[in-house]
Coordinates of all heavy atoms in Angstrom, one line a residue:
M1 N 0.8 -1.2 0.0 CA 0.0 0.0 0.0 C 0.9 1.2 0.0 O 1.8 1.3 0.7 CB -0.9 0.0 1.2 CG -1.8 1.2 1.3 SD -2.6 1.3 2.9 CE -4.2 0.8 2.5
K2 N 0.6 2.2 -0.8 CA 1.3 3.4 -0.9 C 1.0 4.3 0.3 O 0.0 4.3 0.9 CB 0.9 4.2 -2.2 CG 1.6 3.8 -3.4 CD 1.2 4.8 -4.5 CE 2.1 4.6 -5.7 NZ 1.7 5.6 -6.7
N3 N 2.1 5.1 0.7 CA 1.9 6.0 1.8 C 1.2 7.3 1.2 O 1.9 8.0 0.4 CB 3.2 6.3 2.4 CG 3.1 7.0 3.7 OD1 2.0 7.2 4.2 ND2 4.2 7.4 4.3
I4 N 0.0 7.5 1.6 CA -0.7 8.7 1.1 C -0.6 9.8 2.1 O -1.0 9.6 3.2 CB -2.2 8.3 0.8 CG1 -2.3 7.1 -0.2 CG2 -3.0 9.5 0.3 CD1 -3.6 6.5 -0.3
P5 N -0.2 11.0 1.6 CA -0.1 12.1 2.6 C -1.4 12.4 3.2 O -2.5 12.5 2.5 CB 0.4 13.3 1.7 CG 1.0 12.7 0.5 CD 0.3 11.3 0.3
G6 N -1.4 12.6 4.5 CA -2.7 13.0 5.2 C -3.5 11.8 5.6 O -4.3 11.9 6.5
R7 N -3.2 10.6 5.0 CA -4.0 9.4 5.4 C -3.7 9.0 6.8 O -4.7 8.6 7.5 CB -3.6 8.3 4.4 CG -4.4 7.0 4.7 CD -4.0 5.9 3.7 NE -4.5 4.7 4.2 CZ -5.6 4.1 3.7 NH1 -6.3 4.7 2.7 NH2 -6.0 2.9 4.2
A8 N -2.5 9.0 7.3 CA -2.2 8.6 8.6 C -3.0 9.4 9.7 O -3.5 8.9 10.6 CB -0.7 8.6 8.9
L9 N -3.0 10.7 9.4 CA -3.7 11.6 10.3 C -5.2 11.3 10.4 O -5.8 11.3 11.4 CB -3.5 13.1 9.9 CG -4.2 14.1 10.7 CD1 -3.7 14.1 12.1 CD2 -4.0 15.5 10.1
H10 N -5.8 11.1 9.2 CA -7.2 10.7 9.1 C -7.5 9.4 9.9 O -8.4 9.4 10.6 CB -7.6 10.6 7.6 CG -9.1 10.3 7.5 ND1 -10.1 11.1 7.8 CD2 -9.7 9.2 7.0 CE1 -11.2 10.6 7.6 NE2 -11.0 9.4 7.1
I11 N -6.6 8.4 9.7 CA -6.9 7.2 10.4 C -6.7 7.3 11.9 O -7.5 6.8 12.7 CB -5.8 6.1 9.9 CG1 -6.2 5.7 8.4 CG2 -5.8 4.9 10.8 CD1 -5.2 4.8 7.8
C12 N -5.8 8.1 12.3 CA -5.6 8.3 13.8 C -6.8 9.0 14.4 O -7.2 8.7 15.5 CB -4.4 9.2 14.0 SG -2.8 8.3 13.7
T13 N -7.4 10.0 13.7 CA -8.5 10.7 14.2 C -9.8 9.8 14.3 O -10.7 10.1 15.1 CB -8.8 12.0 13.5 OG1 -9.1 11.7 12.1 CG2 -7.7 13.0 13.5
L14 N -9.8 8.8 13.4 CA -11.0 7.9 13.5 C -11.0 7.0 14.7 O -12.0 6.6 15.1 CB -11.0 7.0 12.2 CG -11.3 7.6 10.9 CD1 -11.2 6.5 9.8 CD2 -12.7 8.1 10.9
F15 N -9.9 6.8 15.3 CA -9.8 5.8 16.4 C -9.4 6.5 17.7 O -8.6 6.0 18.5 CB -8.8 4.7 16.1 CG -9.2 4.0 14.8 CD1 -8.5 4.1 13.6 CD2 -10.3 3.1 14.9 CE1 -8.9 3.4 12.5 CE2 -10.6 2.4 13.7 CZ -10.0 2.6 12.6
Q16 N -9.9 7.7 17.9 CA -9.7 8.4 19.2 C -11.0 8.7 19.9 O -12.0 8.9 19.2 CB -9.0 9.8 18.9 CG -7.6 9.6 18.4 CD -6.9 11.0 18.2 OE1 -7.6 12.0 18.2 NE2 -5.6 10.9 17.9
P17 N -11.0 8.7 21.2 CA -12.2 9.1 21.9 C -12.5 10.6 21.5 O -11.7 11.3 21.1 CB -11.8 9.1 23.4 CG -10.5 8.3 23.4 CD -9.9 8.4 22.1
M18 N -13.8 10.9 21.6 CA -14.3 12.2 21.2 C -15.2 12.8 22.3 O -15.9 12.0 23.0 CB -15.1 12.2 19.9 CG -14.3 11.8 18.7 SD -15.4 11.8 17.3 CE -15.4 13.5 16.9
K19 N -15.3 14.1 22.4 CA -16.3 14.7 23.2 C -17.6 14.5 22.4 O -17.7 14.6 21.2 CB -16.0 16.2 23.4 CG -14.8 16.5 24.1 CD -15.0 16.3 25.6 CE -13.7 16.7 26.4 NZ -13.8 16.4 27.8
R20 N -18.7 14.4 23.2 CA -20.0 14.2 22.6 C -20.4 15.4 21.7 O -20.9 15.3 20.6 CB -21.1 14.0 23.6 CG -22.4 13.6 23.1 CD -23.5 13.5 24.2 NE -23.2 12.4 25.1 CZ -24.0 11.4 25.3 NH1 -25.1 11.3 24.7 NH2 -23.6 10.5 26.2
T21 N -20.1 16.6 22.2 CA -20.4 17.8 21.5 C -19.6 17.9 20.2 O -20.2 18.3 19.1 CB -20.1 19.1 22.3 OG1 -20.8 19.0 23.6 CG2 -20.4 20.4 21.6
Q22 N -18.4 17.5 20.2 CA -17.5 17.5 19.0 C -18.2 16.6 17.9 O -18.3 17.0 16.7 CB -16.1 17.0 19.3 CG -15.2 16.9 18.2 CD -13.8 16.3 18.6 OE1 -13.6 16.0 19.7 NE2 -13.0 16.2 17.6
L23 N -18.6 15.4 18.3 CA -19.2 14.5 17.3 C -20.6 15.1 16.9 O -20.9 15.0 15.7 CB -19.4 13.1 18.0 CG -20.1 12.1 17.1 CD1 -19.2 11.8 15.8 CD2 -20.3 10.8 17.8
A24 N -21.3 15.6 17.8 CA -22.6 16.2 17.4 C -22.5 17.3 16.4 O -23.3 17.4 15.5 CB -23.3 16.7 18.7
L25 N -21.5 18.1 16.6 CA -21.2 19.2 15.6 C -20.8 18.7 14.2 O -21.0 19.4 13.2 CB -20.2 20.2 16.2 CG -20.7 21.1 17.3 CD1 -19.6 21.9 17.9 CD2 -21.8 22.0 16.8
E26 N -20.3 17.5 14.2 CA -20.0 16.9 12.9 C -21.3 16.5 12.1 O -21.4 16.7 10.9 CB -19.1 15.7 13.0 CG -17.7 16.0 13.4 CD -16.8 14.7 13.4 OE1 -17.2 13.7 12.8 OE2 -15.7 14.8 14.0
Y27 N -22.3 16.1 12.9 CA -23.5 15.7 12.3 C -24.4 16.9 12.0 O -25.2 17.0 11.1 CB -24.3 14.7 13.2 CG -23.8 13.3 13.1 CD1 -22.9 12.8 14.0 CD2 -24.3 12.5 12.1 CE1 -22.4 11.5 13.8 CE2 -23.9 11.2 12.0 CZ -22.9 10.7 12.8 OH -22.5 9.4 12.7
F28 N -24.3 17.9 12.9 CA -25.1 19.1 12.8 C -24.3 20.4 12.8 O -24.3 21.2 13.8 CB -26.2 19.2 13.9 CG -27.0 17.9 14.0 CD1 -26.7 17.0 15.0 CD2 -28.0 17.7 13.1 CE1 -27.4 15.8 15.1 CE2 -28.8 16.5 13.2 CZ -28.5 15.6 14.2
P29 N -23.5 20.6 11.8 CA -22.5 21.8 11.8 C -23.2 23.1 11.8 O -22.5 24.1 12.3 CB -21.7 21.6 10.5 CG -22.6 20.8 9.6 CD -23.5 19.9 10.5
D30 N -24.4 23.3 11.4 CA -25.1 24.6 11.4 C -25.8 24.9 12.7 O -26.4 25.9 12.9 CB -26.0 24.7 10.3 CG -25.3 24.6 8.9 OD1 -24.2 25.1 8.9 OD2 -25.9 24.1 8.0
S31 N -25.7 24.0 13.7 CA -26.4 24.2 15.0 C -25.4 24.6 16.0 O -24.2 24.5 15.9 CB -27.0 22.8 15.5 OG -28.0 22.4 14.5
S32 N -26.0 25.2 17.1 CA -25.1 25.6 18.2 C -24.7 24.3 18.9 O -25.3 23.2 18.7 CB -25.9 26.5 19.2 OG -26.9 25.7 19.8
P33 N -23.6 24.3 19.7 CA -23.2 23.1 20.4 C -24.2 22.4 21.2 O -24.4 21.2 21.1 CB -22.0 23.5 21.2 CG -21.5 24.7 20.5 CD -22.7 25.4 19.9
S34 N -25.0 23.1 22.0 CA -26.0 22.5 22.8 C -27.1 21.9 22.0 O -27.6 20.8 22.3 CB -26.6 23.5 23.8 OG -27.2 24.6 23.2
V35 N -27.6 22.6 20.9 CA -28.6 22.0 20.1 C -28.1 20.8 19.3 O -28.8 19.8 19.2 CB -29.1 23.1 19.1 CG1 -30.1 22.5 18.0 CG2 -29.8 24.2 19.9
A36 N -26.9 20.9 18.8 CA -26.3 19.7 18.1 C -26.3 18.5 19.1 O -26.6 17.4 18.7 CB -24.9 20.1 17.6
R37 N -25.8 18.7 20.3 CA -25.7 17.6 21.3 C -27.1 17.0 21.6 O -27.2 15.8 21.6 CB -25.1 18.1 22.5 CG -24.6 17.1 23.5 CD -23.8 17.6 24.7 NE -24.5 18.7 25.3 CZ -24.1 20.0 25.3 NH1 -23.0 20.3 24.6 NH2 -24.7 20.9 26.0
R38 N -28.1 17.8 21.7 CA -29.5 17.3 22.0 C -30.0 16.6 20.8 O -30.6 15.5 21.0 CB -30.4 18.5 22.4 CG -30.3 19.0 23.8 CD -31.4 19.8 24.2 NE -31.7 21.0 23.3 CZ -31.2 22.2 23.5 NH1 -30.4 22.5 24.5 NH2 -31.5 23.1 22.6
R39 N -29.7 17.1 19.6 CA -30.2 16.4 18.4 C -29.6 15.0 18.2 O -30.2 14.1 17.9 CB -30.0 17.3 17.2 CG -31.0 18.5 17.2 CD -30.7 19.4 16.0 NE -31.2 18.8 14.8 CZ -31.0 19.3 13.5 NH1 -30.4 20.4 13.4 NH2 -31.5 18.6 12.5
L40 N -28.2 15.0 18.4 CA -27.5 13.7 18.3 C -28.1 12.7 19.3 O -28.3 11.6 19.0 CB -26.0 13.9 18.5 CG -25.2 12.6 18.4 CD1 -25.4 11.9 17.0 CD2 -23.8 12.9 18.7
T41 N -28.3 13.2 20.6 CA -28.8 12.3 21.6 C -30.2 11.8 21.2 O -30.5 10.6 21.4 CB -28.9 13.1 23.0 OG1 -27.5 13.5 23.3 CG2 -29.4 12.2 24.1
K42 N -31.0 12.6 20.6 CA -32.3 12.2 20.2 C -32.2 11.1 19.1 O -32.9 10.1 19.1 CB -33.1 13.4 19.7 CG -34.6 13.1 19.4 CD -35.3 14.3 19.0 CE -36.8 14.0 18.7 NZ -37.6 15.1 18.4
W43 N -31.3 11.3 18.2 CA -31.1 10.3 17.1 C -30.7 9.0 17.7 O -31.1 7.9 17.3 CB -30.0 10.8 16.1 CG -30.5 11.7 15.1 CD1 -31.6 12.5 15.0 CD2 -29.9 12.0 13.8 NE1 -31.7 13.3 13.9 CE2 -30.6 12.9 13.1 CE3 -28.7 11.5 13.2 CZ2 -30.2 13.4 11.9 CZ3 -28.3 12.0 12.0 CH2 -29.1 12.9 11.3
I44 N -29.8 9.1 18.7 CA -29.3 7.8 19.3 C -30.4 7.1 20.0 O -30.5 5.9 19.9 CB -28.1 8.2 20.3 CG1 -26.9 8.6 19.5 CG2 -27.8 7.0 21.2 CD1 -25.8 9.2 20.3
H45 N -31.2 7.8 20.7 CA -32.3 7.2 21.5 C -33.4 6.6 20.5 O -34.0 5.6 20.8 CB -33.0 8.2 22.4 CG -32.2 8.4 23.7 ND1 -32.4 7.6 24.8 CD2 -31.2 9.2 24.0 CE1 -31.6 8.0 25.7 NE2 -30.9 9.0 25.3
N46 N -33.5 7.3 19.3 CA -34.5 6.8 18.3 C -34.0 5.5 17.6 O -34.8 4.8 17.0 CB -34.9 7.9 17.3 CG -35.8 8.9 17.9 OD1 -36.5 8.7 18.9 ND2 -35.7 10.1 17.4
C47 N -32.7 5.3 17.6 CA -32.2 4.1 17.0 C -32.0 3.0 18.1 O -31.0 3.0 18.7 CB -30.9 4.4 16.3 SG -30.2 3.0 15.4
T48 N -33.0 2.2 18.2 CA -33.1 1.3 19.3 C -31.9 0.3 19.4 O -31.3 0.1 20.4 CB -34.4 0.4 19.3 OG1 -35.5 1.3 19.1 CG2 -34.5 -0.4 20.5
E49 N -31.5 -0.2 18.2 CA -30.3 -1.1 18.2 C -29.0 -0.4 18.6 O -28.2 -1.0 19.4 CB -30.1 -1.7 16.8 CG -31.2 -2.7 16.4 CD -30.9 -3.2 14.9 OE1 -29.8 -3.6 14.7 OE2 -31.8 -3.1 14.1
L50 N -28.8 0.8 18.2 CA -27.7 1.6 18.6 C -27.7 1.8 20.1 O -26.7 1.6 20.8 CB -27.6 2.9 17.8 CG -26.5 3.9 18.3 CD1 -25.1 3.3 18.3 CD2 -26.7 5.2 17.5
Y51 N -28.8 2.3 20.6 CA -28.9 2.6 22.1 C -28.6 1.3 22.9 O -27.9 1.4 23.9 CB -30.2 3.2 22.4 CG -30.2 3.8 23.8 CD1 -29.4 4.9 24.1 CD2 -31.0 3.2 24.8 CE1 -29.4 5.4 25.4 CE2 -31.0 3.7 26.1 CZ -30.2 4.8 26.4 OH -30.2 5.3 27.7
E52 N -29.2 0.2 22.4 CA -28.9 -1.1 23.1 C -27.4 -1.5 23.1 O -26.9 -1.9 24.2 CB -29.8 -2.2 22.5 CG -31.2 -2.1 22.8 CD -32.1 -3.2 22.1 OE1 -31.5 -4.0 21.4 OE2 -33.3 -3.1 22.3
Q53 N -26.8 -1.3 22.0 CA -25.3 -1.6 21.9 C -24.5 -0.6 22.9 O -23.6 -1.1 23.5 CB -24.8 -1.4 20.5 CG -25.3 -2.5 19.6 CD -24.6 -3.8 19.9 OE1 -23.5 -3.9 20.2 NE2 -25.4 -4.9 19.9
L54 N -24.9 0.6 22.9 CA -24.2 1.6 23.7 C -24.4 1.3 25.2 O -23.5 1.7 26.0 CB -24.6 3.0 23.4 CG -24.2 3.5 22.0 CD1 -24.9 4.8 21.7 CD2 -22.7 3.6 21.9
T55 N -25.5 0.7 25.6 CA -25.8 0.5 27.0 C -25.7 -1.0 27.5 O -26.1 -1.3 28.6 CB -27.2 1.1 27.4 OG1 -28.2 0.5 26.6 CG2 -27.2 2.6 27.2
K56 N -25.4 -1.9 26.6 CA -25.4 -3.3 26.9 C -24.5 -3.7 28.0 O -24.7 -4.7 28.6 CB -25.2 -4.1 25.6 CG -23.8 -4.3 25.2 CD -23.7 -5.2 24.0 CE -22.3 -5.5 23.6 NZ -22.2 -6.4 22.5
D57 N -23.4 -3.0 28.2 CA -22.4 -3.4 29.2 C -22.8 -2.7 30.6 O -21.9 -2.7 31.5 CB -21.0 -2.9 28.8 CG -20.5 -3.6 27.6 OD1 -20.9 -4.8 27.3 OD2 -19.8 -3.0 26.8
C58 N -24.0 -2.3 30.7 CA -24.5 -1.7 31.9 C -23.7 -0.4 32.3 O -23.6 0.0 33.4 CB -24.5 -2.6 33.1 SG -25.5 -4.1 32.9
R59 N -23.2 0.2 31.2 CA -22.4 1.5 31.4 C -23.4 2.6 31.3 O -24.3 2.6 30.4 CB -21.3 1.6 30.4 CG -20.3 0.5 30.6 CD -19.1 0.6 29.7 NE -18.4 1.9 30.1 CZ -17.8 2.6 29.2 NH1 -17.8 2.3 27.9 NH2 -17.2 3.7 29.6
K60 N -23.2 3.6 32.0 CA -24.1 4.8 31.9 C -23.6 5.6 30.7 O -22.6 6.2 30.7 CB -24.0 5.6 33.2 CG -24.8 6.9 33.2 CD -25.9 6.8 34.1 CE -26.6 8.1 34.2 NZ -27.9 8.1 33.6
F61 N -24.5 5.6 29.7 CA -24.1 6.3 28.4 C -24.6 7.7 28.5 O -23.9 8.7 28.2 CB -24.7 5.6 27.2 CG -24.4 6.3 25.9 CD1 -23.2 6.4 25.4 CD2 -25.5 7.1 25.3 CE1 -23.0 7.1 24.2 CE2 -25.2 7.8 24.2 CZ -24.0 7.8 23.6
D62 N -25.9 7.9 28.9 CA -26.5 9.2 29.0 C -25.7 10.1 30.0 O -25.4 9.6 31.1 CB -27.9 9.1 29.3 CG -28.7 8.4 28.3 OD1 -28.4 8.6 27.1 OD2 -29.6 7.6 28.6
G63 N -25.5 11.3 29.7 CA -24.9 12.2 30.6 C -23.3 12.2 30.6 O -22.7 13.2 31.1
R64 N -22.7 11.2 30.0 CA -21.3 11.3 29.8 C -20.9 12.2 28.6 O -21.5 12.1 27.6 CB -20.7 9.8 29.6 CG -20.7 9.0 30.9 CD -19.8 7.8 30.8 NE -19.1 7.6 29.6 CZ -19.5 6.7 28.7 NH1 -20.5 5.9 28.9 NH2 -18.8 6.5 27.6
Q65 N -19.9 12.9 28.8 CA -19.4 13.8 27.7 C -18.4 13.2 26.8 O -18.3 13.6 25.7 CB -18.9 15.2 28.4 CG -20.0 15.9 29.1 CD -21.2 16.2 28.2 OE1 -21.1 16.7 27.1 NE2 -22.4 15.9 28.7
E66 N -17.6 12.4 27.4 CA -16.5 11.7 26.6 C -17.0 10.4 26.1 O -17.4 9.5 26.8 CB -15.3 11.5 27.5 CG -14.0 11.0 26.8 CD -13.3 12.1 26.1 OE1 -13.4 13.3 26.4 OE2 -12.5 11.8 25.2
L67 N -16.9 10.2 24.7 CA -17.3 9.0 24.1 C -16.0 8.1 23.8 O -15.0 8.6 23.4 CB -18.0 9.3 22.8 CG -19.2 10.1 22.8 CD1 -19.7 10.4 21.4 CD2 -20.3 9.4 23.6
T68 N -16.1 6.8 24.1 CA -15.0 5.9 23.9 C -14.9 5.7 22.4 O -15.8 6.0 21.6 CB -15.2 4.6 24.6 OG1 -16.4 3.9 24.0 CG2 -15.4 4.8 26.1
I69 N -13.8 5.1 22.0 CA -13.6 4.7 20.6 C -14.7 3.8 20.1 O -15.2 4.0 19.0 CB -12.2 4.0 20.4 CG1 -11.1 5.0 20.8 CG2 -12.0 3.5 19.0 CD1 -9.8 4.3 21.0
R70 N -15.1 2.8 20.9 CA -16.1 1.9 20.6 C -17.5 2.6 20.3 O -18.2 2.3 19.4 CB -16.3 0.8 21.7 CG -17.4 -0.1 21.5 CD -17.6 -1.0 22.7 NE -18.8 -1.8 22.6 CZ -20.0 -1.3 23.1 NH1 -20.1 -0.1 23.7 NH2 -21.1 -2.0 23.0
E71 N -17.8 3.6 21.2 CA -19.0 4.3 21.1 C -19.1 5.1 19.8 O -20.1 5.2 19.1 CB -19.3 5.2 22.3 CG -19.5 4.4 23.6 CD -19.4 5.1 24.9 OE1 -18.8 6.2 24.9 OE2 -20.0 4.7 25.9
V72 N -17.9 5.8 19.5 CA -17.9 6.6 18.3 C -18.1 5.7 17.1 O -18.8 6.0 16.1 CB -16.5 7.4 18.2 CG1 -16.4 8.0 16.8 CG2 -16.5 8.4 19.3
R73 N -17.4 4.5 17.1 CA -17.6 3.6 15.9 C -19.0 3.1 15.8 O -19.5 3.1 14.7 CB -16.7 2.4 16.1 CG -15.2 2.7 15.9 CD -14.4 1.4 16.0 NE -13.0 1.6 15.9 CZ -12.1 0.7 16.3 NH1 -12.5 -0.4 16.9 NH2 -10.8 1.0 16.2
L74 N -19.6 2.8 16.9 CA -21.0 2.3 16.8 C -22.0 3.4 16.3 O -22.8 3.2 15.5 CB -21.5 1.9 18.2 CG -21.0 0.5 18.7 CD1 -21.3 0.3 20.2 CD2 -21.6 -0.6 17.8
I75 N -21.8 4.6 16.8 CA -22.6 5.7 16.4 C -22.5 6.0 14.9 O -23.5 6.1 14.1 CB -22.3 7.0 17.2 CG1 -22.8 6.8 18.6 CG2 -23.0 8.2 16.5 CD1 -22.3 7.9 19.6
K76 N -21.2 6.0 14.4 CA -21.0 6.2 13.0 C -21.5 5.0 12.1 O -21.9 5.2 11.0 CB -19.5 6.5 12.7 CG -19.1 7.9 13.2 CD -17.7 8.2 12.9 CE -17.4 9.6 13.3 NZ -16.0 10.0 12.9
Y77 N -21.4 3.8 12.7 CA -21.9 2.7 11.9 C -23.5 2.7 11.8 O -24.0 2.5 10.7 CB -21.5 1.4 12.7 CG -22.1 0.1 12.1 CD1 -21.6 -0.4 10.9 CD2 -23.3 -0.5 12.6 CE1 -22.1 -1.6 10.3 CE2 -23.8 -1.6 12.1 CZ -23.3 -2.2 10.9 OH -23.8 -3.3 10.4
Y78 N -24.2 3.0 12.9 CA -25.6 3.0 12.9 C -26.2 4.2 12.2 O -27.2 4.2 11.6 CB -26.2 2.8 14.3 CG -26.2 1.3 14.7 CD1 -25.1 0.9 15.5 CD2 -27.2 0.4 14.3 CE1 -25.1 -0.4 15.9 CE2 -27.1 -0.9 14.7 CZ -26.1 -1.3 15.5 OH -26.0 -2.6 15.9
L79 N -25.6 5.4 12.5 CA -26.2 6.6 11.9 C -25.5 7.1 10.6 O -26.0 8.0 10.0 CB -26.0 7.8 13.0 CG -26.6 7.6 14.3 CD1 -26.4 8.8 15.2 CD2 -28.1 7.3 14.2
G80 N -24.4 6.4 10.2 CA -23.7 6.8 9.0 C -22.7 7.8 9.3 O -22.7 8.5 10.4
E81 N -21.8 8.0 8.4 CA -20.8 9.1 8.6 C -21.4 10.4 8.5 O -22.4 10.6 7.8 CB -19.7 9.0 7.5 CG -18.8 7.8 7.6 CD -17.8 7.9 8.8 OE1 -17.4 9.0 9.1 OE2 -17.6 6.8 9.4
P82 N -20.9 11.4 9.3 CA -21.5 12.7 9.3 C -21.3 13.4 8.0 O -20.5 13.1 7.2 CB -20.7 13.5 10.4 CG -19.9 12.4 11.1 CD -19.9 11.2 10.3

């Protein structure tokens, strides 16, 4: 595989924890941070399979601001890329 400039940076950012607001703003860039966060949370709750995956380990998902790598991957898988 060729070394593509910028590719390593993109891959690294895909596999890092994120703040919930940061991810929400990727999905809703024209919204304020608080509105984007509420809208993303609503989308997550409306996607039953996603919400079950996020809470299946008995971890408190709601209210946490920092999303794990696994949570970010699940959200992007179920909701699609922003």
